Amino acid sequence: MGECFELEAGIGGRSQRATVTETGGTLRALSVDGISLVQDYPADSAAPFSAGWNLVPWPNRVAGGTWTHEGTTQRLPINEPERGHALHGLLADAAYRLVEQTPASLTLAADLRPQEGYPFELSTSVRYELHQDGLRVTHRLTNIGQRKAPVAVGTHPYLRLGEVPTEELKLVINADSHLEVDGVLIPTGEITAVHGTPRDYRAGQILGPMALDDVWTDFQRDVDGGSVHYLEAPDGSRVEMAMDAAFGYIQVYTTSDFPSADGNVNAVAMEPMTAPADAFNNGMGLRWLEPGGSWDVGWGIRHRRAPQEQE
């Protein structure tokens, strides 16, 4: 797991705390006013179920770990053997280095060197900054090589809303379309309108016993092009996933097997992605970064009080 970095602040009359790990630069814990917004896990455990990972230079999966670049077949290491895919990028085990730290913010960096299946060179960083209602995260990718590099960004936090049981939470996904996948979770190329289907979460659905491992797209966006999706408790309080315009996809994943630090598992993975699974092959959402070029993308986790608490 490496070193843990602690952030703590009191902003806007609220208290904020976060924990970030050196290994993978992952978000391990986040709370606002003592309310846990990210599912923690035992101190002696590696991040389970990809919790908090930075998914660079691709999120989700590359089918069979293979793709073709300029006529050459590239073969990535297979780290999802049960499905035979290359999963969640190349930085999960990276030892991030500290660039800057203040009581309320932290910037970590890690480099990607040319390697099997990805013959490109990137400098990457991730900045965590506490705000009044939660946390803002900014990723920067810079191509320090001599060739255009294919890139996509994602992250894998497990959101919770304090002690509210998962089955009591209402999931709201402000998206008009659902991305269809095959039996090994690779997009089929079909994008289905959610209207009138069980995958319409625009007005929210209580999770109950629902098992999800789904991707949505075609978001309802704000004036800046961003989108917000959330879990809501019966009292109207929320934990929100706010994503900037670069993020065109969100995956939601539920599991009851998460090893919790406090014995309570009330978490749902809400994964912002600039590209869906198999982007290196299907090109969906994939960005080609020119030599010397940089790309900044951001997302955040926010806590909204119950309406009666705001009065």
Side-chain angles (χ1 to χ4, degrees):
M1 183 182 66
E3 183 178 356
C4 284
F5 302 96
E6 304 291 339
L7 302 179
E8 186 171 0
I11 304 170
R14 309 191 74 182
S15 63
Q16 305 83 14
R17 299 189 67 177
T19 303
V20 177
T21 67
E22 176 187 38
T23 301
T26 61
L27 177 64
R28 182 190 176 106
L30 173 66
S31 65
V32 174
D33 294 338
I35 300 168
S36 294
L37 303 180
V38 168
Q39 181 65 56
D40 200 354
Y41 47 91
D44 58 353
S45 171
F49 293 92
S50 308
W53 284 11
N54 293 304
L55 313 181
V56 177
W58 74 87
N60 214 292
R61 296 160 174 84
V62 177
T66 62
W67 64 289
T68 301
H69 178 60
E70 296 180 346
T72 299
T73 299
Q74 303 291 333
R75 300 188 184 280
L76 294 158
I78 302 300
N79 59 349
E80 192 186 31
E82 64 273 22
R83 294 192 177 100
H85 303 322
L87 182 67
H88 289 337
L90 298 168
L91 290 176
D93 298 322
Y96 277 69
R97 62 186 182 274
L98 179 64
V99 175
E100 181 184 20
Q101 184 174 12
T102 72
S105 67
L106 173 73
T107 302
L108 299 172
D111 296 332
L112 271 174
R113 302 301 179 186
Q115 57 194 276
E116 181 182 4
Y118 193 78
F120 310 97
E121 195 167 7
L122 302 177
S123 173
T124 81
S125 68
V126 57
R127 176 177 174 80
Y128 296 95
E129 185 175 7
L130 295 173
H131 286 261
Q132 176 174 326
D133 297 324
L135 183 73
R136 170 71 177 173
V137 184
T138 305
H139 302 264
R140 169 169 286 187
L141 278 60
T142 301
N143 185 346
I144 57 176
Q146 302 301 312
R147 313 166 67 184
K148 285 198 303 184
V151 294
V153 177
T155 187
H156 206 299
Y158 284 77
L159 303 191
R160 64 184 291 178
L161 193 47
E163 304 305 313
V164 182
T166 298
E167 59 269 19
E168 295 181 13
L169 294 170
K170 180 169 69 174
L171 173 66
V172 176
I173 300 293
N174 288 307
D176 295 330
S177 301
H178 181 264
L179 186 65
E180 304 302 323
V181 297
D182 63 18
V184 288
L185 303 182
I186 299 300
T188 63
E190 182 181 6
I191 297 175
T192 304
V194 299
H195 181 73
T197 76
R199 292 300 184 249
D200 189 348
Y201 282 81
R202 292 173 296 183
Q205 295 188 43
I206 301 298
L207 282 170
M210 179 72 69
L212 294 173
D213 199 355
D214 292 76
V215 181
W216 286 265
T217 188
D218 295 332
F219 298 145
Q220 299 167 17
R221 296 186 179 274
D222 58 29
V223 294
D224 296 319
S227 64
V228 178
H229 318 272
Y230 56 88
L231 298 168
E232 185 175 276
D235 68 358
S237 61
R238 299 176 179 177
V239 55
E240 297 181 342
M241 172 58 70
M243 315 182 325
D244 74 15
F247 290 93
Y249 305 85
I250 188 168
Q251 179 131 3
V252 176
Y253 171 65
T254 58
T255 178
S256 59
D257 297 328
F258 197 105
S260 169
D262 60 9
N264 296 312
V265 181
N266 301 311
V268 177
M270 296 183 71
E271 310 165 37
M273 303 185 298
T274 65
D278 212 28
F280 280 12
N281 286 304
N282 59 39
M284 297 170 65
L286 192 65
R287 183 182 180 102
W288 288 85
L289 197 57
E290 296 283 350
S294 292
W295 186 35
D296 292 356
V297 298
W299 55 277
I301 300 172
R302 305 187 301 218
H303 178 256
R304 300 299 191 200
R305 294 185 175 114
Q308 61 268 25
E309 296 179 14
Q310 300 176 23
E311 295 175 357

